[in-house]
Amino acid sequence: MIALDALVRLCPPPVEPPPTVNWAQAERAMGTALPADYKRLVETYGDGIFDDTIWLLVPDSAYSDCDLHAQRTERDEILAGLWEFEAKPAGLLEAGARVLPWGFEEGTGAFLYWLMRAGQHPDEWTVLYNEGRGPLWEHHDMGCLAFLLAVLTGTAETVYFGHLYDVLKPTEHRFVAADQLLGTPRRRHV
């Protein structure tokens, strides 16, 4: 996978491999298959944060903030309440369309979602960014791995993440595993 190779060269993964994910069990729990690029991303990096900015959610993380299942449940509840008084983004007006979170932006309340359209294969899901503390949604016609790589290289067409280059100005990109930042993890769900 070319995008993953490029990401690994740009932002080295942890030296110690992340815990193995039981994908069959995770997908049963989610009620859907998950994109191949996301699985490779999780298998390479695990839960943690890219450039102090983008957290990657993973199935069965020891940390609820990084757990794909926990965040899906929480986001579903939050969005259901939100859409009682705020309009859904255009992509979600299609019959059967829904979102599933895969990451979030540190300290902003912003989430990264897959836009899941009816009848669409998970590898065709695209990215929706929601600013979290406002009504704006931004659609990106690419998968999560391509989007993450575009953000880190500064090539994403987005009004968000400018602080990476305006404020942080990374000379080297880095990924920090959740357990390094959040402390010793509780035992991983099995």
Side-chain angles (χ1 to χ4, degrees), residues 136-151:
L136 299 179
W137 290 76
E138 190 177 76
H139 181 253
H140 297 273
D141 196 22
M142 61 185 77
C144 65
L145 177 55
F147 178 77
L148 181 59
L149 182 60
V151 167

Side-chain angles (χ1 to χ4, degrees), residues 88 156 161:
K88 289 183 178 182
F161 301 110

Side-chain angles (χ1 to χ4, degrees), residues 57 71 75 101 103-105 109-113 128-132:
L57 303 177
Q71 288 302 317
R75 301 314 306 165
F104 65 93
E105 186 178 1
F111 267 78
L112 293 158
Y113 297 92
L128 271 177
Y129 174 94
N130 175 245
E131 66 179 342

Side-chain angles (χ1 to χ4, degrees), residues 104-180:
F104 65 93
E105 186 178 1
E106 172 67 21
T108 66
F111 267 78
L112 293 158
Y113 297 92
W114 285 293
L115 173 58
M116 305 162 60
R117 293 183 162 114
Q120 198 176 41
H121 188 277
D123 292 342
E124 298 171 320
W125 295 347
T126 55
V127 172
L128 271 177
Y129 174 94
N130 175 245
E131 66 179 342
R133 295 189 177 118
L136 299 179
W137 290 76
E138 190 177 76
H139 181 253
H140 297 273
D141 196 22
M142 61 185 77
C144 65
L145 177 55
F147 178 77
L148 181 59
L149 182 60
V151 167
L152 295 183
T153 58
T155 60
E157 293 184 25
T158 177
V159 297
Y160 304 100
F161 301 110
H163 68 283
L164 273 173
Y165 295 93
D166 299 338
V167 177
L168 298 178
K169 299 179 184 174
T171 54
E172 291 183 6
H173 296 277
R174 68 187 197 125
F175 176 84
V176 179
D179 59 355
Q180 287 183 282

